[in-house]
Amino acid sequence: MAKEESFTKLPVINFSRFLNGSAKERQEVADEIGDACRRVGFFYLSDHGISQDLQDRVFAESKKFFALPLEEKLKLKKAGPICFPGYIPLCTERISRLGDYKEVFNCVHELPADDEYYQMQGADLYKGNVWPDNLPTFRRTIYDEYLTAMIDLADKVMESYALTLQLPADWFKPITRKPIAVARLAYYPSFSCELSQDQLSCGAHTDDNGVTLLMQQEGVCGLQVKNGQGEWIDAVPIHGTIVVNIGDLVERWSNGHFKATEHRVLMQPGVERYSAIVFHTPDYHATIECCVKDEIPKYPAIIAGDFIKNRGEAHSKPLDQWTDNEQNLISAEEYSLKLRADVNQKH
């Protein structure tokens, strides 16, 4: 775990100079991002290139989807971990022990049927999208436009990570050519009385992936980030910005310099909330190991897809098999290392 800081707010970083600036300007912005990654693990990104029109249309489609009758949404429910495509009903995802008080729709970045990754272990993270029949612009907006644009943005954020870690800007590119990318629409319904700590709107956790990009509904708080003193800091929505946070894989890549910070969603009674997230992860078979020069690795090397799949499966298990975030992390690392040892033994 990277060094924890007692921050009281999330930094705001203007990304336009990284997207359009000189090499010097790109490095300056990358170092701002690096500072945020080391101290906080979260930051707001402004001037990121995702149009306000697209953001507004994503939320409009999300509201249409979650307003559908339950029987229509259940037609899109699929078995499998929470990272799989389809609809996840209220209180089904168990990041909180008793199930998170939210509904979710996921879709994944699909690969062509003749792609080698489509046939290999982990292929279920690259296919299987399902779509509502009676929302004609839903797929185009959420998949063709939103997910595609956010994958491009995540690639740029990864370039900034590389630069601030004193690596070539394209260092991550060879292992993010076929990223596991999940677009998630989340709806947090209102409730009449406060939820218990065993059933939050979304339980406390760190993200398992590389880059998380979050669009928040304006005017509605809910996301909270835990600082080094154990205080929960509100990530208040800021118009037009995207919230970026570090996942477990990037913390491991950075050898603990970057911080995968614990966060949760805590809603107040009588308030509903919508959010749209993209989880961007390296190629399934990418090896995640220390990329910092001249340092002894703090973490054993793991395979990206094995790790996140196991993490996701843990949040889909019944109540008697529930584990908290710390134990989930340990179990996922052990699972990934065992698979890797089995493969090495066969060869």
Side-chain angles (χ1 to χ4, degrees):
M1 177 70 71
K3 180 182 178 182
E4 295 190 349
E5 297 281 350
S6 298
F7 55 88
T8 57
K9 60 182 180 179
L10 310 187
V12 182
I13 298 173
N14 186 314
F15 206 46
S16 62
R17 291 193 307 137
F18 189 87
L19 296 176
N20 306 306
S22 65
K24 179 175 181 292
E25 289 173 320
R26 281 168 55 84
Q27 185 65 57
E28 288 173 350
V29 176
D31 289 340
E32 281 187 67
I33 289 173
D35 179 66
C37 292
R38 292 175 176 90
R39 293 190 305 104
V40 182
F42 272 76
F43 54 93
Y44 298 96
L45 206 61
S46 69
D47 299 277
H48 40 64
I50 307 298
S51 72
Q52 190 62 49
D53 172 70
L54 177 56
Q55 294 181 63
D56 292 342
R57 287 189 288 114
V58 167
F59 280 114
E61 294 291 345
S62 179
K63 290 177 181 179
K64 291 176 188 176
F65 175 78
F66 289 113
L68 291 173
L70 180 59
E71 57 267 25
E72 289 297 313
K73 291 182 285 188
L74 288 175
K75 293 177 182 178
L76 306 180
K77 182 179 182 294
K78 298 181 70 176
I82 62 174
C83 49
F84 282 8
Y87 171 66
I88 301 176
L90 193 68
C91 301
T92 300
E93 185 171 288
R94 291 188 185 278
I95 300 177
S96 298
R97 193 175 72 86
L98 298 181
D100 292 353
Y101 202 77
K102 68 174 185 279
E103 300 177 49
V104 166
F105 175 84
N106 288 335
C107 68
V108 299
H109 172 56
E110 293 190 317
L111 294 177
D114 60 353
D115 189 283
E116 59 175 341
Y117 267 35
Y118 196 91
Q119 310 295 334
M120 297 170 68
Q121 178 187 357
D124 41 14
L125 296 176
Y126 290 106
K127 62 182 179 181
N129 286 332
V130 289
W131 305 103
D133 294 329
N134 49 357
L135 297 179
T137 57
F138 185 82
R139 183 191 188 281
R140 184 181 72 239
T141 302
I142 303 304
Y143 185 81
D144 296 343
E145 297 185 64
Y146 170 62
L147 180 55
T148 299
M150 294 295 256
I151 289 173
D152 289 343
L153 178 58
D155 287 340
K156 295 298 184 185
V157 172
M158 291 295 287
E159 288 180 16
S160 76
Y161 292 169
L163 288 175
T164 195
L165 290 169
Q166 301 180 23
L167 300 167
D170 61 355
W171 193 89
F172 292 108
K173 194 172 183 62
I175 42 183
T176 55
R177 296 186 188 279
K178 298 176 184 178
I180 302 168
V182 181
R184 162 168 286 206
L185 305 178
Y187 171 54
Y188 303 88
S190 63
F191 45 86
S192 58
C193 58
E194 289 192 13
L195 300 175
S196 74
Q197 290 299 310
D198 283 335
Q199 188 175 49
L200 300 180
S201 295
C202 182
H205 65 288
T206 56
D207 289 347
D208 54 29
N209 54 307
V211 180
T212 299
L213 304 171
L214 165 70
M215 297 190 329
Q216 300 194 88
Q217 178 186 0
E218 290 191 31
V220 182
C221 291
L223 175 63
Q224 295 183 323
V225 181
K226 194 175 186 179
N227 71 13
Q229 297 299 311
E231 301 165 324
W232 290 102
I233 306 303
D234 289 325
V236 179
I238 300 176
H239 176 75
T241 63
I242 289 173
V243 177
V244 183
N245 68 280
I246 301 303
D248 300 322
L249 296 185
V250 170
E251 179 172 312
R252 300 174 76 98
W253 250 330
S254 73
N255 211 30
H257 290 285
F258 289 1
K259 179 181 179 183
T261 305
E262 197 170 11
H263 53 286
R264 68 183 185 183
V265 176
L266 181 66
M267 299 299 298
Q268 299 301 315
V271 179
E272 65 177 6
R273 176 178 183 260
Y274 296 85
S275 66
I277 314 110
V278 167
F279 301 106
H280 183 276
T281 301
D283 304 355
Y284 189 101
H285 298 283
T287 299
I288 309 300
E289 56 190 345
C290 173
C291 68
V292 181
K293 298 175 184 177
D294 303 321
E295 285 195 2
I296 298 172
K298 296 179 179 178
Y299 309 95
I302 58 171
I303 301 301
D306 295 339
F307 180 81
I308 70 158
K309 192 173 179 183
N310 186 264
R311 286 269 274 149
E313 286 173 348
H315 295 314
S316 308
K317 292 180 178 179
L319 178 59
D320 61 353
Q321 298 178 39
W322 182 84
T323 56
D324 63 15
N325 184 72
E326 184 175 354
Q327 184 57 51
N328 187 331
L329 274 168
I330 294 170
S331 298
E333 179 181 281
E334 291 174 347
Y335 172 80
S336 183
L337 291 175
K338 182 180 183 303
L339 286 185
R340 184 168 182 162
D342 290 346
V343 170
N344 290 340
Q345 190 173 24
K346 289 178 182 178
H347 290 83

